[in-house]
Amino acid sequence: MGEQVKIDNLAAVVNEIVQDTQITDVHTHLYDPQFGDLLLWGFEELVTYHYLIAETMRVVELPYEKYWQLSKTEQAKLIWETLFLQNSPYSEACRGVLTTLKRLGLDVAARDFEGYRKFFATQELDEYVKHVFDIANLKCVVMTNDPFDDQERKVWLEQVVPGKIVPDPSFRAALRLDILLNSWESTWQLLKEWGYEVTVELDDISIKEVQRFLKDWIEIMDPVYMAVSLPYDFRFPEASSRSKLIEACILPVSLETDVPFAPMVGVRRRINPALQDAGDGVGKMDIGAIEYLCANFPKNKFLVTLLSRENQHELAVLARKFRNLMPFGCWWFLNNPSLIDEITRMRFELLGTSTILQHSDARILDQLIYKWDHSRRLISETLVDKYSDLMDTGWVLTKMEIRRDVEKLMGENLWDFLERKL
Ligand code: RAT
Ligand code: ZN
């Protein structure tokens, strides 16, 4: 039956397994290093993460536009001085920078801005990527790949397609469709320029052509899923081009190509536009839209993450009803210890082992280190509580069973849901 776990060493066993298990990170904004400067990394990028910009701009007098005029180094200095030196850096995003430095072997107590900059400046990127993957103990990360981003589009079309770059399997693609779905009224013209016979009205020919566009990019990127970030007031179905595009283009192509649809819902874009990327907010969605998708398109698969804390219970309940729904991660403003703890416990209680607990959302390579360090700790603590409740009933657990569960929660559930092998 395998080695039984005793209550006295439960915490040590669970912790060791959670630390040992290699992760599939289902949503990041990282890139294969071969994509050039699309991949962000290093000290200044870490410190100027947009989560930290929002925290800084709350407490400095500087007008927003002045911040954006500063050089990257000046921005980093301002953030470092404001959040790390003039205040204690215990917010999750600040703490994350420090965990990263610590796990890279740097002396956090030294508060050595210049020293940290030098350390990163001397790293050789390919080696450093491997080092970060080792520390974070990752199998692979899923990128966010936008065919509407000029710089990225060029890399796919001019480097990947002609075979000048062979993408590294540690960086898997996700076809991101925000521009297609959220701004059709202008996007159709772009598609037309690119040789697709579409009109703004989305007639039958346009529908076929958008499908062709999707299949072309699926062919180019081999994505794990097709994702879109949707506003908190997303409704489905409704009389809108977005609704029509989802129903007539995304869902049939998703079915035909076996690439699931991943709606990420709950954003309120640019509620403070002067903050740029840091200016987005959150709103509660009506989960009826996800329910409708799961119930009316039972052969389709949906990977779903919702931004608002208030939607998390409904999402877990909905996932109990539909096996074509896989909830994933604690997204963006939810990626904080108190909320990860709450959401993870709730998912364990309602869904057992059938969920994808977390994703990093890392925008900067080095963040993989802290995002997974912090999440692993919480996942381990929560699992210890759940297994010890189980052992209270007289249930006997083996190490192998714990390993099986953790592997599912930290990666296998994704590949099983996709019915794909890594
Ligand atoms: O978490 C973030 O960095 C956000 O700005 C967004 O990128 C979000 O995660 C998204 O995928 O839209
Ligand atoms: Zn993201």
Side-chain angles (χ1 to χ4, degrees), residues 27 29 49-51 144 176 178 229 264 267 269 277 280 331-332 359 361 363 371:
H27 171 62
H29 296 265
Y49 185 28
H50 71 78
Y51 293 21
T144 294
R176 181 80 172 226
D178 294 17
S229 152
M264 306 167 68
V267 185
R269 288 277 175 218
D277 272 352
D280 296 340
W331 183 23
W332 198 346
H359 63 262
D361 228 323
R363 272 180 180 264
K371 300 249 188 186

PDB file of all heavy atoms in Angstrom, residues 27 29 49-51 144 176 178 229 264 267 269 277 280 331-332 359 361 363 371, ligand 1:
ATOM      1  N   HIS A  27      -0.809  30.438 -16.569  1.00  0.00           N
ATOM      2  CA  HIS A  27      -0.971  31.782 -17.154  1.00  0.00           C
ATOM      3  C   HIS A  27       0.144  32.718 -16.685  1.00  0.00           C
ATOM      4  O   HIS A  27       0.264  33.012 -15.492  1.00  0.00           O
ATOM      5  CB  HIS A  27      -2.348  32.362 -16.786  1.00  0.00           C
ATOM      6  CG  HIS A  27      -2.500  33.809 -17.155  1.00  0.00           C
ATOM      7  ND1 HIS A  27      -2.430  34.281 -18.443  1.00  0.00           N
ATOM      8  CD2 HIS A  27      -2.708  34.906 -16.389  1.00  0.00           C
ATOM      9  CE1 HIS A  27      -2.587  35.588 -18.452  1.00  0.00           C
ATOM     10  NE2 HIS A  27      -2.753  36.002 -17.213  1.00  0.00           N
ATOM     11  N   HIS A  29       2.812  36.167 -18.403  1.00  0.00           N
ATOM     12  CA  HIS A  29       3.042  37.107 -19.502  1.00  0.00           C
ATOM     13  C   HIS A  29       4.514  37.045 -19.914  1.00  0.00           C
ATOM     14  O   HIS A  29       5.081  38.038 -20.349  1.00  0.00           O
ATOM     15  CB  HIS A  29       2.646  38.520 -19.082  1.00  0.00           C
ATOM     16  CG  HIS A  29       1.176  38.635 -18.782  1.00  0.00           C
ATOM     17  ND1 HIS A  29       0.257  39.051 -19.706  1.00  0.00           N
ATOM     18  CD2 HIS A  29       0.466  38.316 -17.669  1.00  0.00           C
ATOM     19  CE1 HIS A  29      -0.953  39.017 -19.169  1.00  0.00           C
ATOM     20  NE2 HIS A  29      -0.852  38.564 -17.931  1.00  0.00           N
ATOM     21  N   TYR A  49       7.318  46.853 -11.616  1.00  0.00           N
ATOM     22  CA  TYR A  49       6.110  46.043 -11.885  1.00  0.00           C
ATOM     23  C   TYR A  49       4.887  46.942 -11.669  1.00  0.00           C
ATOM     24  O   TYR A  49       4.850  47.699 -10.702  1.00  0.00           O
ATOM     25  CB  TYR A  49       6.120  44.892 -10.880  1.00  0.00           C
ATOM     26  CG  TYR A  49       5.054  43.837 -10.991  1.00  0.00           C
ATOM     27  CD1 TYR A  49       4.439  43.509 -12.201  1.00  0.00           C
ATOM     28  CD2 TYR A  49       4.681  43.117  -9.847  1.00  0.00           C
ATOM     29  CE1 TYR A  49       3.498  42.497 -12.263  1.00  0.00           C
ATOM     30  CE2 TYR A  49       3.741  42.098  -9.909  1.00  0.00           C
ATOM     31  CZ  TYR A  49       3.145  41.799 -11.114  1.00  0.00           C
ATOM     32  OH  TYR A  49       2.211  40.806 -11.176  1.00  0.00           O
ATOM     33  N   HIS A  50       3.888  46.830 -12.516  1.00  0.00           N
ATOM     34  CA  HIS A  50       2.804  47.813 -12.404  1.00  0.00           C
ATOM     35  C   HIS A  50       2.034  47.711 -11.081  1.00  0.00           C
ATOM     36  O   HIS A  50       1.421  48.672 -10.643  1.00  0.00           O
ATOM     37  CB  HIS A  50       1.893  47.796 -13.639  1.00  0.00           C
ATOM     38  CG  HIS A  50       1.017  46.597 -13.796  1.00  0.00           C
ATOM     39  ND1 HIS A  50      -0.133  46.431 -13.080  1.00  0.00           N
ATOM     40  CD2 HIS A  50       1.106  45.516 -14.605  1.00  0.00           C
ATOM     41  CE1 HIS A  50      -0.729  45.296 -13.455  1.00  0.00           C
ATOM     42  NE2 HIS A  50       0.013  44.712 -14.371  1.00  0.00           N
ATOM     43  N   TYR A  51       2.104  46.567 -10.415  1.00  0.00           N
ATOM     44  CA  TYR A  51       1.465  46.481  -9.097  1.00  0.00           C
ATOM     45  C   TYR A  51       2.141  47.475  -8.129  1.00  0.00           C
ATOM     46  O   TYR A  51       1.504  48.072  -7.270  1.00  0.00           O
ATOM     47  CB  TYR A  51       1.584  45.071  -8.509  1.00  0.00           C
ATOM     48  CG  TYR A  51       0.833  43.935  -9.212  1.00  0.00           C
ATOM     49  CD1 TYR A  51       0.416  44.011 -10.539  1.00  0.00           C
ATOM     50  CD2 TYR A  51       0.554  42.759  -8.520  1.00  0.00           C
ATOM     51  CE1 TYR A  51      -0.234  42.953 -11.159  1.00  0.00           C
ATOM     52  CE2 TYR A  51      -0.111  41.690  -9.132  1.00  0.00           C
ATOM     53  CZ  TYR A  51      -0.494  41.795 -10.457  1.00  0.00           C
ATOM     54  OH  TYR A  51      -1.142  40.734 -11.059  1.00  0.00           O
ATOM     55  N   THR A 144       1.330  34.483 -22.845  1.00  0.00           N
ATOM     56  CA  THR A 144       0.124  35.161 -23.344  1.00  0.00           C
ATOM     57  C   THR A 144       0.519  35.733 -24.698  1.00  0.00           C
ATOM     58  O   THR A 144       1.363  36.626 -24.756  1.00  0.00           O
ATOM     59  CB  THR A 144      -0.294  36.292 -22.378  1.00  0.00           C
ATOM     60  OG1 THR A 144      -0.689  35.688 -21.148  1.00  0.00           O
ATOM     61  CG2 THR A 144      -1.458  37.113 -22.916  1.00  0.00           C
ATOM     62  N   ARG A 176      -4.162  34.849 -27.379  1.00  0.00           N
ATOM     63  CA  ARG A 176      -4.930  35.839 -26.621  1.00  0.00           C
ATOM     64  C   ARG A 176      -5.758  36.687 -27.582  1.00  0.00           C
ATOM     65  O   ARG A 176      -5.212  37.250 -28.542  1.00  0.00           O
ATOM     66  CB  ARG A 176      -3.942  36.683 -25.818  1.00  0.00           C
ATOM     67  CG  ARG A 176      -4.560  37.738 -24.956  1.00  0.00           C
ATOM     68  CD  ARG A 176      -5.103  37.225 -23.644  1.00  0.00           C
ATOM     69  NE  ARG A 176      -5.488  38.358 -22.830  1.00  0.00           N
ATOM     70  CZ  ARG A 176      -5.192  38.515 -21.555  1.00  0.00           C
ATOM     71  NH1 ARG A 176      -4.532  37.604 -20.901  1.00  0.00           N
ATOM     72  NH2 ARG A 176      -5.590  39.590 -20.907  1.00  0.00           N
ATOM     73  N   ASP A 178      -8.146  39.367 -26.873  1.00  0.00           N
ATOM     74  CA  ASP A 178      -8.834  40.566 -26.363  1.00  0.00           C
ATOM     75  C   ASP A 178      -9.215  41.530 -27.482  1.00  0.00           C
ATOM     76  O   ASP A 178     -10.335  42.046 -27.526  1.00  0.00           O
ATOM     77  CB  ASP A 178      -7.943  41.334 -25.365  1.00  0.00           C
ATOM     78  CG  ASP A 178      -7.668  40.547 -24.096  1.00  0.00           C
ATOM     79  OD1 ASP A 178      -7.881  39.315 -24.104  1.00  0.00           O
ATOM     80  OD2 ASP A 178      -7.234  41.156 -23.109  1.00  0.00           O
ATOM     81  N   SER A 229      -9.516  38.357 -21.925  1.00  0.00           N
ATOM     82  CA  SER A 229      -9.855  39.040 -20.691  1.00  0.00           C
ATOM     83  C   SER A 229     -11.120  39.848 -20.968  1.00  0.00           C
ATOM     84  O   SER A 229     -11.172  40.620 -21.932  1.00  0.00           O
ATOM     85  CB  SER A 229      -8.679  39.924 -20.293  1.00  0.00           C
ATOM     86  OG  SER A 229      -9.134  41.008 -19.560  1.00  0.00           O
ATOM     87  N   MET A 264     -11.422  35.034 -19.049  1.00  0.00           N
ATOM     88  CA  MET A 264     -10.890  35.557 -17.780  1.00  0.00           C
ATOM     89  C   MET A 264     -11.712  36.825 -17.522  1.00  0.00           C
ATOM     90  O   MET A 264     -11.537  37.831 -18.209  1.00  0.00           O
ATOM     91  CB  MET A 264      -9.410  35.889 -17.945  1.00  0.00           C
ATOM     92  CG  MET A 264      -8.604  34.695 -18.472  1.00  0.00           C
ATOM     93  SD  MET A 264      -6.938  35.139 -19.040  1.00  0.00           S
ATOM     94  CE  MET A 264      -6.144  35.570 -17.515  1.00  0.00           C
ATOM     95  N   VAL A 267     -12.551  42.315 -15.230  1.00  0.00           N
ATOM     96  CA  VAL A 267     -11.698  43.513 -15.263  1.00  0.00           C
ATOM     97  C   VAL A 267     -12.546  44.760 -15.506  1.00  0.00           C
ATOM     98  O   VAL A 267     -13.551  44.729 -16.216  1.00  0.00           O
ATOM     99  CB  VAL A 267     -10.681  43.394 -16.420  1.00  0.00           C
ATOM    100  CG1 VAL A 267      -9.711  44.549 -16.399  1.00  0.00           C
ATOM    101  CG2 VAL A 267      -9.952  42.078 -16.332  1.00  0.00           C
ATOM    102  N   ARG A 269     -11.299  47.911 -17.129  1.00  0.00           N
ATOM    103  CA  ARG A 269     -10.098  48.471 -17.736  1.00  0.00           C
ATOM    104  C   ARG A 269     -10.002  49.977 -17.539  1.00  0.00           C
ATOM    105  O   ARG A 269     -10.990  50.702 -17.681  1.00  0.00           O
ATOM    106  CB  ARG A 269     -10.070  48.171 -19.241  1.00  0.00           C
ATOM    107  CG  ARG A 269      -9.789  46.719 -19.593  1.00  0.00           C
ATOM    108  CD  ARG A 269      -8.299  46.388 -19.603  1.00  0.00           C
ATOM    109  NE  ARG A 269      -8.128  44.950 -19.822  1.00  0.00           N
ATOM    110  CZ  ARG A 269      -7.202  44.198 -19.233  1.00  0.00           C
ATOM    111  NH1 ARG A 269      -6.367  44.723 -18.372  1.00  0.00           N
ATOM    112  NH2 ARG A 269      -7.113  42.917 -19.492  1.00  0.00           N
ATOM    113  N   ASP A 277      -1.022  50.628 -17.384  1.00  0.00           N
ATOM    114  CA  ASP A 277      -1.284  49.236 -16.984  1.00  0.00           C
ATOM    115  C   ASP A 277      -1.696  49.091 -15.528  1.00  0.00           C
ATOM    116  O   ASP A 277      -2.316  48.101 -15.137  1.00  0.00           O
ATOM    117  CB  ASP A 277      -0.012  48.386 -17.170  1.00  0.00           C
ATOM    118  CG  ASP A 277       0.079  47.813 -18.558  1.00  0.00           C
ATOM    119  OD1 ASP A 277      -0.891  47.947 -19.321  1.00  0.00           O
ATOM    120  OD2 ASP A 277       1.145  47.249 -18.888  1.00  0.00           O
ATOM    121  N   ASP A 280      -6.092  49.539 -14.027  1.00  0.00           N
ATOM    122  CA  ASP A 280      -7.286  48.700 -14.174  1.00  0.00           C
ATOM    123  C   ASP A 280      -7.881  48.357 -12.806  1.00  0.00           C
ATOM    124  O   ASP A 280      -7.169  48.258 -11.811  1.00  0.00           O
ATOM    125  CB  ASP A 280      -6.934  47.383 -14.881  1.00  0.00           C
ATOM    126  CG  ASP A 280      -6.456  47.605 -16.312  1.00  0.00           C
ATOM    127  OD1 ASP A 280      -6.743  48.674 -16.861  1.00  0.00           O
ATOM    128  OD2 ASP A 280      -5.805  46.705 -16.869  1.00  0.00           O
ATOM    129  N   TRP A 331      -6.403  35.100  -9.522  1.00  0.00           N
ATOM    130  CA  TRP A 331      -5.946  36.033 -10.555  1.00  0.00           C
ATOM    131  C   TRP A 331      -5.682  37.441 -10.029  1.00  0.00           C
ATOM    132  O   TRP A 331      -6.563  38.024  -9.378  1.00  0.00           O
ATOM    133  CB  TRP A 331      -7.004  36.046 -11.678  1.00  0.00           C
ATOM    134  CG  TRP A 331      -6.701  36.881 -12.878  1.00  0.00           C
ATOM    135  CD1 TRP A 331      -5.478  37.273 -13.309  1.00  0.00           C
ATOM    136  CD2 TRP A 331      -7.649  37.410 -13.817  1.00  0.00           C
ATOM    137  NE1 TRP A 331      -5.602  38.018 -14.468  1.00  0.00           N
ATOM    138  CE2 TRP A 331      -6.924  38.112 -14.794  1.00  0.00           C
ATOM    139  CE3 TRP A 331      -9.043  37.343 -13.928  1.00  0.00           C
ATOM    140  CZ2 TRP A 331      -7.540  38.762 -15.864  1.00  0.00           C
ATOM    141  CZ3 TRP A 331      -9.658  37.982 -14.985  1.00  0.00           C
ATOM    142  CH2 TRP A 331      -8.918  38.682 -15.943  1.00  0.00           C
ATOM    143  N   TRP A 332      -4.478  37.969 -10.324  1.00  0.00           N
ATOM    144  CA  TRP A 332      -4.171  39.402 -10.236  1.00  0.00           C
ATOM    145  C   TRP A 332      -4.417  39.971  -8.831  1.00  0.00           C
ATOM    146  O   TRP A 332      -3.625  39.742  -7.934  1.00  0.00           O
ATOM    147  CB  TRP A 332      -5.015  40.087 -11.306  1.00  0.00           C
ATOM    148  CG  TRP A 332      -4.682  41.472 -11.770  1.00  0.00           C
ATOM    149  CD1 TRP A 332      -3.863  42.386 -11.210  1.00  0.00           C
ATOM    150  CD2 TRP A 332      -5.239  42.078 -12.955  1.00  0.00           C
ATOM    151  NE1 TRP A 332      -3.872  43.534 -11.971  1.00  0.00           N
ATOM    152  CE2 TRP A 332      -4.694  43.393 -13.032  1.00  0.00           C
ATOM    153  CE3 TRP A 332      -6.130  41.678 -13.942  1.00  0.00           C
ATOM    154  CZ2 TRP A 332      -5.034  44.282 -14.067  1.00  0.00           C
ATOM    155  CZ3 TRP A 332      -6.455  42.559 -14.969  1.00  0.00           C
ATOM    156  CH2 TRP A 332      -5.911  43.843 -15.022  1.00  0.00           C
ATOM    157  N   HIS A 359      -1.904  30.133 -10.723  1.00  0.00           N
ATOM    158  CA  HIS A 359      -1.003  30.488 -11.818  1.00  0.00           C
ATOM    159  C   HIS A 359      -0.228  31.705 -11.332  1.00  0.00           C
ATOM    160  O   HIS A 359      -0.667  32.375 -10.391  1.00  0.00           O
ATOM    161  CB  HIS A 359      -1.787  30.812 -13.091  1.00  0.00           C
ATOM    162  CG  HIS A 359      -2.687  32.001 -12.974  1.00  0.00           C
ATOM    163  ND1 HIS A 359      -4.031  31.907 -12.724  1.00  0.00           N
ATOM    164  CD2 HIS A 359      -2.409  33.322 -13.036  1.00  0.00           C
ATOM    165  CE1 HIS A 359      -4.554  33.124 -12.656  1.00  0.00           C
ATOM    166  NE2 HIS A 359      -3.595  34.002 -12.841  1.00  0.00           N
ATOM    167  N   ASP A 361       0.886  34.536 -13.236  1.00  0.00           N
ATOM    168  CA  ASP A 361       0.659  35.825 -13.889  1.00  0.00           C
ATOM    169  C   ASP A 361       1.958  36.626 -14.012  1.00  0.00           C
ATOM    170  O   ASP A 361       1.918  37.844 -14.254  1.00  0.00           O
ATOM    171  CB  ASP A 361      -0.381  36.669 -13.140  1.00  0.00           C
ATOM    172  CG  ASP A 361      -1.432  37.235 -14.084  1.00  0.00           C
ATOM    173  OD1 ASP A 361      -1.068  37.598 -15.211  1.00  0.00           O
ATOM    174  OD2 ASP A 361      -2.598  37.316 -13.694  1.00  0.00           O
ATOM    175  N   ARG A 363       4.912  38.697 -15.072  1.00  0.00           N
ATOM    176  CA  ARG A 363       5.209  39.548 -16.229  1.00  0.00           C
ATOM    177  C   ARG A 363       6.695  39.666 -16.402  1.00  0.00           C
ATOM    178  O   ARG A 363       7.176  40.118 -17.433  1.00  0.00           O
ATOM    179  CB  ARG A 363       4.686  40.970 -15.977  1.00  0.00           C
ATOM    180  CG  ARG A 363       3.299  41.129 -16.385  1.00  0.00           C
ATOM    181  CD  ARG A 363       2.783  42.522 -16.142  1.00  0.00           C
ATOM    182  NE  ARG A 363       1.419  42.473 -16.592  1.00  0.00           N
ATOM    183  CZ  ARG A 363       1.012  42.843 -17.798  1.00  0.00           C
ATOM    184  NH1 ARG A 363       1.839  43.373 -18.653  1.00  0.00           N
ATOM    185  NH2 ARG A 363      -0.253  42.709 -18.139  1.00  0.00           N
ATOM    186  N   LYS A 371       6.398  34.312  -6.778  1.00  0.00           N
ATOM    187  CA  LYS A 371       4.972  33.965  -6.884  1.00  0.00           C
ATOM    188  C   LYS A 371       4.797  32.508  -6.467  1.00  0.00           C
ATOM    189  O   LYS A 371       3.844  32.166  -5.768  1.00  0.00           O
ATOM    190  CB  LYS A 371       4.464  34.193  -8.295  1.00  0.00           C
ATOM    191  CG  LYS A 371       4.602  35.644  -8.768  1.00  0.00           C
ATOM    192  CD  LYS A 371       3.280  36.330  -8.923  1.00  0.00           C
ATOM    193  CE  LYS A 371       3.439  37.691  -9.582  1.00  0.00           C
ATOM    194  NZ  LYS A 371       2.218  38.464  -9.647  1.00  0.00           N
TER     195      LYS A 371
HETATM  196  O1  RAT B   1      -1.858  40.700 -13.743  1.00  0.00           O
HETATM  197  C1  RAT B   1      -1.545  41.529 -14.591  1.00  0.00           C
HETATM  198  O2  RAT B   1      -0.369  41.812 -14.795  1.00  0.00           O
HETATM  199  C2  RAT B   1      -2.612  42.265 -15.350  1.00  0.00           C
HETATM  200  O3  RAT B   1      -2.144  43.464 -15.805  1.00  0.00           O
HETATM  201  C3  RAT B   1      -3.141  41.589 -16.562  1.00  0.00           C
HETATM  202  O4  RAT B   1      -2.127  41.315 -17.466  1.00  0.00           O
HETATM  203  C4  RAT B   1      -3.923  40.351 -16.396  1.00  0.00           C
HETATM  204  O5  RAT B   1      -3.264  39.375 -15.681  1.00  0.00           O
HETATM  205  C5  RAT B   1      -4.351  39.831 -17.746  1.00  0.00           C
HETATM  206  O6  RAT B   1      -3.917  38.742 -18.128  1.00  0.00           O
HETATM  207  O7  RAT B   1      -5.113  40.545 -18.401  1.00  0.00           O
END
